[in-house]
Amino acid sequence: MNLRKPLLTAALLLSPALAFAHPGHDHSGVMSGLAHPVFGLDHLLAMVAVGLWAAQQTGKARWALPLTFVATMLVGGLLGFAGFEMPLMETGIAGSVLALGLLVALAVRPPLAVAAGLTALFALSHGVAHGLELPDLSSPWGYAAGFVIATAALHGLGYAVARNLPQAAAPLVRIAGAASAIAGAWLLAA
């Protein structure tokens, strides 16, 4: 089981965000954008779950799901920057954690159009939330670049973990999906 390299790489890529934990340091917005998906439990669980779910797929879906999420999330972020508010956005985000966790736990493999449609729906809620939470004095473009990079890294982390597990440890992916689904149910109840 050689998970050290992907985990170390993710830790190194994401750790600079800790240095900018205090407001007023990041006028470019990049570090704030990187931190948002990583330090928000709802976003973190959903982003990793997309990577895990993509790893369970076959063919084009392995790339289509993460790419669909990132692209749609960026569109949602731009809508958020413009002040668009989505009804029940926080419920949609918590629901995405629950749904993505269940999809991973059950190793669901729907047709690509259905999987991409679900992924886009979930991503839109996350993107609008990112856009609405643009920190004061931050560049929207730097912030968007940060949350896109962090999201892609979290998708990649989930994908790499799932694809590099030995066959005997493969059920851990489904267990992680179940844990995410439970967390999503908790977020919905809270």
Side-chain angles (χ1 to χ4, degrees), residues 23 39 49 54-55 63 67 73 81 84 94-95 113 117 119 121 130-131 139 145 149 157 171 187 189:
F39 295 112
W63 290 100
L67 290 174
M73 182 193 61
F81 293 157
F84 174 78
T119 302
L121 179 65
H130 290 323
S139 161
I149 291 166
L157 176 65
L187 289 168

Side-chain angles (χ1 to χ4, degrees), residues 76 79-80 83-96 121-129 132 188:
L79 290 170
F84 174 78
E85 293 191 28
M86 205 171 163
L88 301 171
M89 179 183 64
E90 291 299 328
T91 303
I93 291 170
S96 75
L121 179 65
F122 301 147
L124 189 63
S125 296
H126 287 270
V128 170
L132 289 173
L188 280 170

Side-chain angles (χ1 to χ4, degrees), residues 53 56-57 98-110 118 122:
W53 192 37
Q56 293 175 325
Q57 304 305 305
L98 171 64
L100 286 164
L102 286 173
L103 291 166
V104 172
L106 300 173
V108 176
R109 288 189 180 140
L118 284 171
F122 301 147

Side-chain angles (χ1 to χ4, degrees), residues 11-190:
L12 288 173
L13 287 173
L14 300 174
S15 64
L18 295 175
F20 288 91
H22 306 288
H25 296 290
D26 182 27
H27 296 296
S28 70
V30 175
M31 297 309 292
S32 297
L34 285 169
H36 190 106
V38 174
F39 295 112
L41 179 64
D42 49 358
H43 297 297
L44 176 69
L45 292 173
M47 308 302 173
V48 172
V50 169
L52 294 172
W53 192 37
Q56 293 175 325
Q57 304 305 305
T58 59
K60 293 178 184 177
R62 287 185 176 166
W63 290 100
L65 299 183
L67 290 174
T68 297
F69 193 99
V70 170
T72 308
M73 182 193 61
L74 181 57
V75 169
L78 297 174
L79 290 170
F81 293 157
F84 174 78
E85 293 191 28
M86 205 171 163
L88 301 171
M89 179 183 64
E90 291 299 328
T91 303
I93 291 170
S96 75
V97 175
L98 171 64
L100 286 164
L102 286 173
L103 291 166
V104 172
L106 300 173
V108 176
R109 288 189 180 140
L112 179 56
V114 172
L118 284 171
T119 302
L121 179 65
F122 301 147
L124 189 63
S125 296
H126 287 270
V128 170
H130 290 323
L132 289 173
E133 295 175 17
L134 173 69
D136 291 337
L137 303 176
S138 292
S139 161
W141 302 112
Y143 182 69
F147 71 68
V148 164
I149 291 166
T151 297
L154 291 169
H155 291 340
L157 176 65
Y159 186 88
V161 167
R163 298 297 294 169
N164 289 304
L165 283 175
Q167 190 62 31
L172 292 176
V173 172
R174 294 177 86 166
I175 291 168
S180 182
I182 290 167
W186 176 76
L187 289 168
L188 280 170

Side-chain angles (χ1 to χ4, degrees), residues 3-17:
L3 293 177
R4 283 193 328 188
K5 286 182 184 179
L7 292 176
L8 180 60
T9 301
L12 288 173
L13 287 173
L14 300 174
S15 64

